[in-house]
Amino acid sequence: MLSSEIGSRRNDSTARGNFEEPVKHVIDAIGDDRIVFSTDFPHGDSKFPRAVESFLRLPISEESKRKILWDNCAAYYGLPS
């Protein structure tokens, strides 16, 4: 996929750089199919280099964690999950 194609697609995904417990409420409200993970590095409020560790401790299902960490991004870019 070309970068020009990405920009022309309807952007209905949410990227969260600082995953915190409120993400559970977002999942409850809109589902976990359009949320993707980001570390938000180098911003000062980033949890980098322990962003993934912090994310994995969140009180959300393992299925949601997999979708947010991999499946949703793979689907967005047309990659196999």
Side-chain angles (χ1 to χ4, degrees), residues 6-51:
I6 295 169
S8 66
R9 293 177 62 179
R10 183 170 174 254
N11 186 359
D12 58 357
S13 297
T14 300
R16 285 283 297 147
N18 239 349
F19 271 92
E20 297 168 355
E21 293 194 21
V23 76
K24 180 185 180 338
H25 302 293
V26 174
I27 292 169
D28 291 344
I30 67 167
D32 59 6
D33 293 326
R34 298 284 185 216
I35 303 171
V36 297
F37 178 80
S38 170
T39 64
D40 209 24
F41 180 81
H43 294 104
D45 64 347
S46 169
K47 295 193 183 315
F48 181 84
R50 293 187 171 76

mmCIF file of all heavy atoms in Angstrom, residues 6-51:
data_model
loop_
_atom_site.group_PDB
_atom_site.id
_atom_site.type_symbol
_atom_site.label_atom_id
_atom_site.label_comp_id
_atom_site.label_asym_id
_atom_site.label_seq_id
_atom_site.Cartn_x
_atom_site.Cartn_y
_atom_site.Cartn_z
ATOM 1 N N ILE A 6 -2.900 5.442 1.980
ATOM 2 C CA ILE A 6 -3.226 5.472 3.402
ATOM 3 C C ILE A 6 -3.909 6.776 3.750
ATOM 4 O O ILE A 6 -4.920 6.807 4.430
ATOM 5 C CB ILE A 6 -1.957 5.270 4.257
ATOM 6 C CG1 ILE A 6 -1.397 3.871 4.032
ATOM 7 C CG2 ILE A 6 -2.255 5.514 5.739
ATOM 8 C CD1 ILE A 6 -0.019 3.661 4.604
ATOM 9 N N GLY A 7 -3.368 7.885 3.266
ATOM 10 C CA GLY A 7 -3.937 9.194 3.565
ATOM 11 C C GLY A 7 -5.326 9.384 3.014
ATOM 12 O O GLY A 7 -6.110 10.164 3.545
ATOM 13 N N SER A 8 -5.666 8.669 1.957
ATOM 14 C CA SER A 8 -6.980 8.833 1.351
ATOM 15 C C SER A 8 -8.037 7.936 1.974
ATOM 16 O O SER A 8 -9.206 8.080 1.701
ATOM 17 C CB SER A 8 -6.893 8.562 -0.151
ATOM 18 O OG SER A 8 -6.585 7.205 -0.381
ATOM 19 N N ARG A 9 -7.623 7.004 2.817
ATOM 20 C CA ARG A 9 -8.584 6.108 3.456
ATOM 21 C C ARG A 9 -9.322 6.835 4.564
ATOM 22 O O ARG A 9 -8.805 7.756 5.179
ATOM 23 C CB ARG A 9 -7.853 4.898 4.056
ATOM 24 C CG ARG A 9 -7.241 4.020 2.987
ATOM 25 C CD ARG A 9 -6.488 2.897 3.582
ATOM 26 N NE ARG A 9 -7.381 2.051 4.348
ATOM 27 C CZ ARG A 9 -6.977 0.967 4.979
ATOM 28 N NH1 ARG A 9 -5.727 0.606 4.949
ATOM 29 N NH2 ARG A 9 -7.836 0.232 5.651
ATOM 30 N N ARG A 10 -10.528 6.394 4.829
ATOM 31 C CA ARG A 10 -11.305 6.961 5.934
ATOM 32 C C ARG A 10 -10.603 6.617 7.238
ATOM 33 O O ARG A 10 -10.330 5.467 7.526
ATOM 34 C CB ARG A 10 -12.718 6.380 5.925
ATOM 35 C CG ARG A 10 -13.583 6.965 6.990
ATOM 36 C CD ARG A 10 -15.029 6.532 6.772
ATOM 37 N NE ARG A 10 -15.807 7.000 7.881
ATOM 38 C CZ ARG A 10 -16.264 6.203 8.837
ATOM 39 N NH1 ARG A 10 -16.054 4.911 8.788
ATOM 40 N NH2 ARG A 10 -16.971 6.698 9.835
ATOM 41 N N ASN A 11 -10.277 7.625 7.999
ATOM 42 C CA ASN A 11 -9.534 7.413 9.239
ATOM 43 C C ASN A 11 -10.505 7.281 10.397
ATOM 44 O O ASN A 11 -10.958 8.268 10.950
ATOM 45 C CB ASN A 11 -8.564 8.568 9.478
ATOM 46 C CG ASN A 11 -7.673 8.321 10.667
ATOM 47 O OD1 ASN A 11 -7.790 7.300 11.328
ATOM 48 N ND2 ASN A 11 -6.787 9.239 10.941
ATOM 49 N N ASP A 12 -10.811 6.053 10.757
ATOM 50 C CA ASP A 12 -11.717 5.831 11.877
ATOM 51 C C ASP A 12 -11.063 4.987 12.957
ATOM 52 O O ASP A 12 -11.720 4.346 13.749
ATOM 53 C CB ASP A 12 -13.030 5.212 11.419
ATOM 54 C CG ASP A 12 -12.845 3.879 10.698
ATOM 55 O OD1 ASP A 12 -11.699 3.469 10.500
ATOM 56 O OD2 ASP A 12 -13.853 3.259 10.359
ATOM 57 N N SER A 13 -9.737 5.010 13.001
ATOM 58 C CA SER A 13 -8.997 4.299 14.039
ATOM 59 C C SER A 13 -8.557 5.290 15.108
ATOM 60 O O SER A 13 -8.437 6.476 14.853
ATOM 61 C CB SER A 13 -7.755 3.621 13.451
ATOM 62 O OG SER A 13 -8.134 2.652 12.523
ATOM 63 N N THR A 14 -8.299 4.774 16.286
ATOM 64 C CA THR A 14 -7.820 5.586 17.381
ATOM 65 C C THR A 14 -6.448 5.100 17.781
ATOM 66 O O THR A 14 -6.264 3.919 18.038
ATOM 67 C CB THR A 14 -8.765 5.477 18.599
ATOM 68 O OG1 THR A 14 -10.046 5.929 18.203
ATOM 69 C CG2 THR A 14 -8.273 6.281 19.763
ATOM 70 N N ALA A 15 -5.475 5.999 17.832
ATOM 71 C CA ALA A 15 -4.134 5.654 18.299
ATOM 72 C C ALA A 15 -3.952 6.260 19.681
ATOM 73 O O ALA A 15 -4.174 7.446 19.873
ATOM 74 C CB ALA A 15 -3.074 6.196 17.351
ATOM 75 N N ARG A 16 -3.585 5.429 20.619
ATOM 76 C CA ARG A 16 -3.359 5.901 21.983
ATOM 77 C C ARG A 16 -1.891 5.753 22.300
ATOM 78 O O ARG A 16 -1.338 4.672 22.224
ATOM 79 C CB ARG A 16 -4.168 5.068 22.975
ATOM 80 C CG ARG A 16 -5.621 5.368 22.989
ATOM 81 C CD ARG A 16 -5.942 6.636 23.716
ATOM 82 N NE ARG A 16 -5.570 6.502 25.106
ATOM 83 C CZ ARG A 16 -5.131 7.493 25.851
ATOM 84 N NH1 ARG A 16 -4.978 8.685 25.354
ATOM 85 N NH2 ARG A 16 -4.827 7.306 27.107
ATOM 86 N N GLY A 17 -1.244 6.822 22.673
ATOM 87 C CA GLY A 17 0.166 6.772 23.015
ATOM 88 C C GLY A 17 0.385 6.433 24.469
ATOM 89 O O GLY A 17 1.346 5.780 24.827
ATOM 90 N N ASN A 18 -0.451 6.909 25.311
ATOM 91 C CA ASN A 18 -0.312 6.684 26.745
ATOM 92 C C ASN A 18 -1.482 5.835 27.207
ATOM 93 O O ASN A 18 -2.506 6.341 27.622
ATOM 94 C CB ASN A 18 -0.329 8.023 27.476
ATOM 95 C CG ASN A 18 0.915 8.249 28.271
ATOM 96 O OD1 ASN A 18 1.707 7.341 28.449
ATOM 97 N ND2 ASN A 18 1.079 9.450 28.738
ATOM 98 N N PHE A 19 -1.342 4.538 27.106
ATOM 99 C CA PHE A 19 -2.430 3.667 27.512
ATOM 100 C C PHE A 19 -2.557 3.700 29.023
ATOM 101 O O PHE A 19 -1.603 3.501 29.746
ATOM 102 C CB PHE A 19 -2.169 2.237 27.046
ATOM 103 C CG PHE A 19 -2.697 1.978 25.686
ATOM 104 C CD1 PHE A 19 -1.907 2.157 24.577
ATOM 105 C CD2 PHE A 19 -4.009 1.583 25.511
ATOM 106 C CE1 PHE A 19 -2.400 1.928 23.324
ATOM 107 C CE2 PHE A 19 -4.520 1.359 24.257
ATOM 108 C CZ PHE A 19 -3.711 1.531 23.160
ATOM 109 N N GLU A 20 -3.761 3.958 29.447
ATOM 110 C CA GLU A 20 -4.059 3.981 30.863
ATOM 111 C C GLU A 20 -5.374 3.246 31.067
ATOM 112 O O GLU A 20 -6.044 2.875 30.118
ATOM 113 C CB GLU A 20 -4.142 5.422 31.356
ATOM 114 C CG GLU A 20 -2.805 6.140 31.198
ATOM 115 C CD GLU A 20 -2.927 7.636 31.405
ATOM 116 O OE1 GLU A 20 -4.055 8.143 31.571
ATOM 117 O OE2 GLU A 20 -1.884 8.287 31.373
ATOM 118 N N GLU A 21 -5.742 3.062 32.301
ATOM 119 C CA GLU A 21 -6.935 2.286 32.601
ATOM 120 C C GLU A 21 -8.218 2.790 31.946
ATOM 121 O O GLU A 21 -9.096 1.990 31.673
ATOM 122 C CB GLU A 21 -7.091 2.135 34.109
ATOM 123 C CG GLU A 21 -5.975 1.278 34.670
ATOM 124 C CD GLU A 21 -6.215 0.791 36.075
ATOM 125 O OE1 GLU A 21 -7.375 0.763 36.513
ATOM 126 O OE2 GLU A 21 -5.231 0.424 36.710
ATOM 127 N N PRO A 22 -8.379 4.084 31.639
ATOM 128 C CA PRO A 22 -9.614 4.497 30.959
ATOM 129 C C PRO A 22 -9.844 3.809 29.607
ATOM 130 O O PRO A 22 -10.959 3.813 29.107
ATOM 131 C CB PRO A 22 -9.442 6.004 30.775
ATOM 132 C CG PRO A 22 -8.580 6.402 31.924
ATOM 133 C CD PRO A 22 -7.614 5.253 32.077
ATOM 134 N N VAL A 23 -8.815 3.189 29.030
ATOM 135 C CA VAL A 23 -9.006 2.509 27.753
ATOM 136 C C VAL A 23 -10.057 1.402 27.881
ATOM 137 O O VAL A 23 -10.772 1.111 26.927
ATOM 138 C CB VAL A 23 -7.671 1.977 27.172
ATOM 139 C CG1 VAL A 23 -7.208 0.732 27.885
ATOM 140 C CG2 VAL A 23 -7.808 1.694 25.685
ATOM 141 N N LYS A 24 -10.208 0.826 29.066
ATOM 142 C CA LYS A 24 -11.248 -0.187 29.274
ATOM 143 C C LYS A 24 -12.629 0.401 29.002
ATOM 144 O O LYS A 24 -13.470 -0.239 28.386
ATOM 145 C CB LYS A 24 -11.181 -0.747 30.686
ATOM 146 C CG LYS A 24 -12.253 -1.806 30.929
ATOM 147 C CD LYS A 24 -12.273 -2.290 32.343
ATOM 148 C CE LYS A 24 -13.327 -3.337 32.606
ATOM 149 N NZ LYS A 24 -14.467 -3.418 31.717
ATOM 150 N N HIS A 25 -12.840 1.631 29.425
ATOM 151 C CA HIS A 25 -14.133 2.285 29.205
ATOM 152 C C HIS A 25 -14.340 2.609 27.722
ATOM 153 O O HIS A 25 -15.465 2.543 27.232
ATOM 154 C CB HIS A 25 -14.249 3.542 30.057
ATOM 155 C CG HIS A 25 -14.101 3.254 31.520
ATOM 156 N ND1 HIS A 25 -15.020 2.521 32.231
ATOM 157 C CD2 HIS A 25 -13.116 3.572 32.398
ATOM 158 C CE1 HIS A 25 -14.620 2.398 33.482
ATOM 159 N NE2 HIS A 25 -13.467 3.028 33.604
ATOM 160 N N VAL A 26 -13.263 2.939 27.030
ATOM 161 C CA VAL A 26 -13.355 3.182 25.591
ATOM 162 C C VAL A 26 -13.741 1.886 24.884
ATOM 163 O O VAL A 26 -14.615 1.878 24.014
ATOM 164 C CB VAL A 26 -12.027 3.745 25.037
ATOM 165 C CG1 VAL A 26 -12.067 3.849 23.518
ATOM 166 C CG2 VAL A 26 -11.715 5.096 25.660
ATOM 167 N N ILE A 27 -13.108 0.786 25.275
ATOM 168 C CA ILE A 27 -13.435 -0.519 24.690
ATOM 169 C C ILE A 27 -14.889 -0.867 24.970
ATOM 170 O O ILE A 27 -15.604 -1.335 24.078
ATOM 171 C CB ILE A 27 -12.484 -1.611 25.215
ATOM 172 C CG1 ILE A 27 -11.071 -1.366 24.681
ATOM 173 C CG2 ILE A 27 -12.983 -3.001 24.838
ATOM 174 C CD1 ILE A 27 -10.001 -2.222 25.344
ATOM 175 N N ASP A 28 -15.340 -0.621 26.193
ATOM 176 C CA ASP A 28 -16.740 -0.899 26.539
ATOM 177 C C ASP A 28 -17.695 -0.065 25.691
ATOM 178 O O ASP A 28 -18.768 -0.532 25.318
ATOM 179 C CB ASP A 28 -16.995 -0.620 28.026
ATOM 180 C CG ASP A 28 -16.295 -1.611 28.943
ATOM 181 O OD1 ASP A 28 -15.868 -2.688 28.468
ATOM 182 O OD2 ASP A 28 -16.160 -1.296 30.147
ATOM 183 N N ALA A 29 -17.306 1.171 25.365
ATOM 184 C CA ALA A 29 -18.195 2.080 24.638
ATOM 185 C C ALA A 29 -18.193 1.840 23.127
ATOM 186 O O ALA A 29 -19.249 1.846 22.499
ATOM 187 C CB ALA A 29 -17.804 3.530 24.926
ATOM 188 N N ILE A 30 -17.001 1.622 22.540
ATOM 189 C CA ILE A 30 -16.929 1.543 21.074
ATOM 190 C C ILE A 30 -16.335 0.241 20.549
ATOM 191 O O ILE A 30 -16.261 0.034 19.347
ATOM 192 C CB ILE A 30 -16.138 2.724 20.483
ATOM 193 C CG1 ILE A 30 -14.652 2.654 20.883
ATOM 194 C CG2 ILE A 30 -16.749 4.053 20.875
ATOM 195 C CD1 ILE A 30 -13.755 3.581 20.098
ATOM 196 N N GLY A 31 -15.877 -0.617 21.433
ATOM 197 C CA GLY A 31 -15.260 -1.861 21.005
ATOM 198 C C GLY A 31 -13.752 -1.713 20.831
ATOM 199 O O GLY A 31 -13.197 -0.628 21.001
ATOM 200 N N ASP A 32 -13.090 -2.808 20.494
ATOM 201 C CA ASP A 32 -11.629 -2.805 20.391
ATOM 202 C C ASP A 32 -11.122 -3.010 18.971
ATOM 203 O O ASP A 32 -9.953 -3.256 18.738
ATOM 204 C CB ASP A 32 -11.027 -3.867 21.317
ATOM 205 C CG ASP A 32 -11.523 -5.268 21.016
ATOM 206 O OD1 ASP A 32 -12.249 -5.455 20.011
ATOM 207 O OD2 ASP A 32 -11.202 -6.189 21.787
ATOM 208 N N ASP A 33 -12.014 -2.873 17.983
ATOM 209 C CA ASP A 33 -11.634 -3.149 16.597
ATOM 210 C C ASP A 33 -10.878 -2.029 15.905
ATOM 211 O O ASP A 33 -10.302 -2.258 14.839
ATOM 212 C CB ASP A 33 -12.876 -3.485 15.765
ATOM 213 C CG ASP A 33 -13.505 -4.798 16.181
ATOM 214 O OD1 ASP A 33 -12.762 -5.714 16.583
ATOM 215 O OD2 ASP A 33 -14.738 -4.900 16.121
ATOM 216 N N ARG A 34 -10.868 -0.830 16.445
ATOM 217 C CA ARG A 34 -10.225 0.310 15.776
ATOM 218 C C ARG A 34 -9.229 1.036 16.679
ATOM 219 O O ARG A 34 -8.891 2.186 16.414
ATOM 220 C CB ARG A 34 -11.276 1.308 15.302
ATOM 221 C CG ARG A 34 -12.243 0.753 14.297
ATOM 222 C CD ARG A 34 -11.573 0.656 12.958
ATOM 223 N NE ARG A 34 -12.524 0.239 11.951
ATOM 224 C CZ ARG A 34 -12.221 -0.555 10.958
ATOM 225 N NH1 ARG A 34 -11.007 -1.007 10.815
ATOM 226 N NH2 ARG A 34 -13.124 -0.896 10.082
ATOM 227 N N ILE A 35 -8.763 0.382 17.716
ATOM 228 C CA ILE A 35 -7.780 0.983 18.624
ATOM 229 C C ILE A 35 -6.423 0.365 18.317
ATOM 230 O O ILE A 35 -6.311 -0.847 18.159
ATOM 231 C CB ILE A 35 -8.154 0.739 20.097
ATOM 232 C CG1 ILE A 35 -9.551 1.293 20.393
ATOM 233 C CG2 ILE A 35 -7.115 1.361 21.026
ATOM 234 C CD1 ILE A 35 -10.079 0.907 21.761
ATOM 235 N N VAL A 36 -5.389 1.195 18.220
ATOM 236 C CA VAL A 36 -4.032 0.706 17.974
ATOM 237 C C VAL A 36 -3.097 1.248 19.048
ATOM 238 O O VAL A 36 -3.404 2.217 19.722
ATOM 239 C CB VAL A 36 -3.532 1.073 16.557
ATOM 240 C CG1 VAL A 36 -4.395 0.413 15.496
ATOM 241 C CG2 VAL A 36 -3.479 2.570 16.352
ATOM 242 N N PHE A 37 -1.957 0.604 19.173
ATOM 243 C CA PHE A 37 -0.991 0.922 20.222
ATOM 244 C C PHE A 37 0.129 1.811 19.690
ATOM 245 O O PHE A 37 0.587 1.637 18.565
ATOM 246 C CB PHE A 37 -0.394 -0.380 20.760
ATOM 247 C CG PHE A 37 0.651 -0.179 21.822
ATOM 248 C CD1 PHE A 37 0.282 0.078 23.121
ATOM 249 C CD2 PHE A 37 1.995 -0.249 21.506
ATOM 250 C CE1 PHE A 37 1.236 0.262 24.103
ATOM 251 C CE2 PHE A 37 2.959 -0.071 22.480
ATOM 252 C CZ PHE A 37 2.575 0.185 23.782
ATOM 253 N N SER A 38 0.566 2.738 20.518
ATOM 254 C CA SER A 38 1.719 3.583 20.230
ATOM 255 C C SER A 38 2.396 3.930 21.546
ATOM 256 O O SER A 38 1.736 4.061 22.570
ATOM 257 C CB SER A 38 1.253 4.862 19.530
ATOM 258 O OG SER A 38 2.307 5.791 19.447
ATOM 259 N N THR A 39 3.710 4.090 21.520
ATOM 260 C CA THR A 39 4.420 4.424 22.760
ATOM 261 C C THR A 39 4.424 5.917 23.033
ATOM 262 O O THR A 39 4.669 6.337 24.144
ATOM 263 C CB THR A 39 5.884 3.964 22.707
ATOM 264 O OG1 THR A 39 6.561 4.683 21.673
ATOM 265 C CG2 THR A 39 5.983 2.471 22.493
ATOM 266 N N ASP A 40 4.182 6.751 22.025
ATOM 267 C CA ASP A 40 4.197 8.208 22.130
ATOM 268 C C ASP A 40 5.591 8.752 22.433
ATOM 269 O O ASP A 40 5.746 9.862 22.888
ATOM 270 C CB ASP A 40 3.188 8.695 23.163
ATOM 271 C CG ASP A 40 2.667 10.085 22.821
ATOM 272 O OD1 ASP A 40 2.715 10.468 21.639
ATOM 273 O OD2 ASP A 40 2.209 10.783 23.732
ATOM 274 N N PHE A 41 6.623 7.946 22.192
ATOM 275 C CA PHE A 41 8.003 8.404 22.353
ATOM 276 C C PHE A 41 8.294 9.470 21.303
ATOM 277 O O PHE A 41 7.854 9.327 20.168
ATOM 278 C CB PHE A 41 8.953 7.208 22.181
ATOM 279 C CG PHE A 41 10.395 7.568 22.322
ATOM 280 C CD1 PHE A 41 10.966 7.695 23.570
ATOM 281 C CD2 PHE A 41 11.178 7.786 21.200
ATOM 282 C CE1 PHE A 41 12.306 8.021 23.706
ATOM 283 C CE2 PHE A 41 12.505 8.120 21.321
ATOM 284 C CZ PHE A 41 13.074 8.242 22.569
ATOM 285 N N PRO A 42 8.957 10.538 21.581
ATOM 286 C CA PRO A 42 9.752 10.901 22.749
ATOM 287 C C PRO A 42 9.066 11.872 23.702
ATOM 288 O O PRO A 42 9.742 12.556 24.464
ATOM 289 C CB PRO A 42 10.976 11.559 22.113
ATOM 290 C CG PRO A 42 10.402 12.318 20.965
ATOM 291 C CD PRO A 42 9.275 11.434 20.454
ATOM 292 N N HIS A 43 7.750 11.981 23.677
ATOM 293 C CA HIS A 43 7.073 12.913 24.576
ATOM 294 C C HIS A 43 7.346 12.577 26.037
ATOM 295 O O HIS A 43 7.456 11.408 26.406
ATOM 296 C CB HIS A 43 5.570 12.916 24.298
ATOM 297 C CG HIS A 43 5.246 13.457 22.951
ATOM 298 N ND1 HIS A 43 4.900 12.647 21.899
ATOM 299 C CD2 HIS A 43 5.243 14.726 22.476
ATOM 300 C CE1 HIS A 43 4.693 13.395 20.834
ATOM 301 N NE2 HIS A 43 4.899 14.655 21.150
ATOM 302 N N GLY A 44 7.417 13.590 26.853
ATOM 303 C CA GLY A 44 7.768 13.430 28.261
ATOM 304 C C GLY A 44 6.817 12.569 29.062
ATOM 305 O O GLY A 44 7.210 11.949 30.045
ATOM 306 N N ASP A 45 5.547 12.501 28.656
ATOM 307 C CA ASP A 45 4.591 11.681 29.402
ATOM 308 C C ASP A 45 4.530 10.245 28.891
ATOM 309 O O ASP A 45 3.717 9.454 29.328
ATOM 310 C CB ASP A 45 3.206 12.313 29.403
ATOM 311 C CG ASP A 45 2.594 12.407 28.013
ATOM 312 O OD1 ASP A 45 3.322 12.209 27.013
ATOM 313 O OD2 ASP A 45 1.394 12.690 27.925
ATOM 314 N N SER A 46 5.425 9.895 27.979
ATOM 315 C CA SER A 46 5.490 8.540 27.445
ATOM 316 C C SER A 46 5.972 7.565 28.512
ATOM 317 O O SER A 46 6.793 7.913 29.355
ATOM 318 C CB SER A 46 6.455 8.504 26.249
ATOM 319 O OG SER A 46 6.726 7.192 25.865
ATOM 320 N N LYS A 47 5.469 6.356 28.465
ATOM 321 C CA LYS A 47 5.929 5.325 29.400
ATOM 322 C C LYS A 47 7.137 4.574 28.840
ATOM 323 O O LYS A 47 7.598 3.608 29.424
ATOM 324 C CB LYS A 47 4.794 4.365 29.709
ATOM 325 C CG LYS A 47 3.645 5.045 30.445
ATOM 326 C CD LYS A 47 2.693 4.037 31.018
ATOM 327 C CE LYS A 47 1.505 4.639 31.686
ATOM 328 N NZ LYS A 47 1.718 5.733 32.569
ATOM 329 N N PHE A 48 7.650 5.015 27.663
ATOM 330 C CA PHE A 48 8.829 4.421 27.049
ATOM 331 C C PHE A 48 9.973 4.453 28.055
ATOM 332 O O PHE A 48 10.155 5.451 28.734
ATOM 333 C CB PHE A 48 9.214 5.205 25.789
ATOM 334 C CG PHE A 48 10.405 4.642 25.085
ATOM 335 C CD1 PHE A 48 10.259 3.596 24.196
ATOM 336 C CD2 PHE A 48 11.664 5.145 25.326
ATOM 337 C CE1 PHE A 48 11.358 3.068 23.544
ATOM 338 C CE2 PHE A 48 12.771 4.615 24.684
ATOM 339 C CZ PHE A 48 12.608 3.578 23.791
ATOM 340 N N PRO A 49 10.753 3.397 28.227
ATOM 341 C CA PRO A 49 10.818 2.177 27.437
ATOM 342 C C PRO A 49 9.957 1.035 27.990
ATOM 343 O O PRO A 49 10.099 -0.095 27.553
ATOM 344 C CB PRO A 49 12.296 1.801 27.518
ATOM 345 C CG PRO A 49 12.701 2.227 28.892
ATOM 346 C CD PRO A 49 11.897 3.494 29.141
ATOM 347 N N ARG A 50 9.070 1.319 28.906
ATOM 348 C CA ARG A 50 8.249 0.257 29.491
ATOM 349 C C ARG A 50 6.780 0.354 29.073
ATOM 350 O O ARG A 50 5.888 -0.093 29.790
ATOM 351 C CB ARG A 50 8.378 0.288 31.005
ATOM 352 C CG ARG A 50 9.775 -0.094 31.446
ATOM 353 C CD ARG A 50 9.911 -0.248 32.931
ATOM 354 N NE ARG A 50 11.190 -0.806 33.267
ATOM 355 C CZ ARG A 50 12.336 -0.150 33.258
ATOM 356 N NH1 ARG A 50 12.371 1.106 32.890
ATOM 357 N NH2 ARG A 50 13.464 -0.738 33.601
ATOM 358 N N ALA A 51 6.549 0.922 27.915
ATOM 359 C CA ALA A 51 5.175 1.134 27.450
ATOM 360 C C ALA A 51 4.420 -0.177 27.248
ATOM 361 O O ALA A 51 3.263 -0.297 27.635
ATOM 362 C CB ALA A 51 5.170 1.944 26.160
#
